[in-house]
Amino acid sequence: MPDILSIGQVAERTGLSIHTLRFYEREGILHSPVRRGAGGNRLYSEQDIEWLSLCMILRASDMPLAAIRRYTELVREGAGNEAERLALLRRHREYLINQMANLSECMDLINYKVGVYEDLIDEGAADHSCNREALPADGGPG
């Protein structure tokens, strides 16, 4: 039998808390039902770790648990539903593309504001006699 891991070992390997692992199990987003040992302890495999890694990436990319659950269900069902899996992933990819564009706009504004304040500080260091309080050079909100 392949390496069997306890819930504590899986938590250590994935960085997920034991509480989160139990939550994921309850939410039905694990690829396979968690096996139990003779004492009722949860037993995980390397395949479980790989699936959890995928789920962690999907969550980190802001995929809702309901969508991860649906994707998991589709994978469990096996061949024949690849078009639905593809559609689900394409929708999420489109969401990420939009988020990345929004974040890029945010970064542009923040970089601009950083430059404005760096210039103000550089000018202030060169002109110690300036004892006035000024609006930011860009005229925008401080």
Side-chain angles (χ1 to χ4, degrees):
M1 184 169 240
D3 289 339
I4 300 299
L5 305 162
S6 70
I7 195 168
Q9 291 169 316
V10 172
E12 187 175 313
R13 292 256 312 263
T14 63
L16 295 170
S17 69
I18 289 172
H19 174 76
T20 299
L21 289 168
R22 290 178 181 144
F23 174 75
Y24 280 5
E25 180 182 357
R26 281 191 310 272
E27 288 297 308
I29 64 169
L30 296 178
H31 181 267
S32 308
V34 176
R35 295 179 316 250
R36 300 289 181 143
N41 295 331
R42 289 170 174 85
L43 304 175
Y44 296 87
S45 68
E46 288 298 324
Q47 183 181 2
D48 294 323
I49 298 276
E50 291 171 16
W51 185 261
L52 284 165
S53 296
L54 170 64
C55 291
M56 290 169 61
I57 290 168
L58 295 175
R59 280 301 291 149
S61 69
D62 210 22
M63 182 181 273
L65 281 175
I68 296 172
R69 184 181 313 108
R70 180 64 186 143
Y71 182 73
T72 302
E73 291 166 356
L74 293 169
V75 170
R76 276 193 213 130
E77 290 172 11
N81 60 26
E82 289 82 0
E84 192 174 346
R85 292 185 219 180
L86 177 60
L88 188 148
L89 292 172
R90 280 183 172 162
R91 279 191 303 274
H92 189 61
R93 179 177 66 183
E94 190 62 32
Y95 167 80
L96 289 177
I97 289 168
N98 290 332
Q99 284 298 99
M100 290 170 66
N102 290 337
L103 287 173
S104 181
E105 288 178 18
C106 293
M107 182 61 85
D108 290 346
L109 174 63
I110 291 169
N111 283 336
Y112 172 74
K113 296 297 275 185
V114 165
V116 166
Y117 286 109
E118 287 173 344
D119 290 347
L120 282 173
I121 290 170
D122 288 346
E123 290 170 12
D127 182 10
H128 294 292
S129 64
C130 181
N131 196 12
R132 62 182 168 82
E133 195 160 321
L135 291 173
D138 64 357

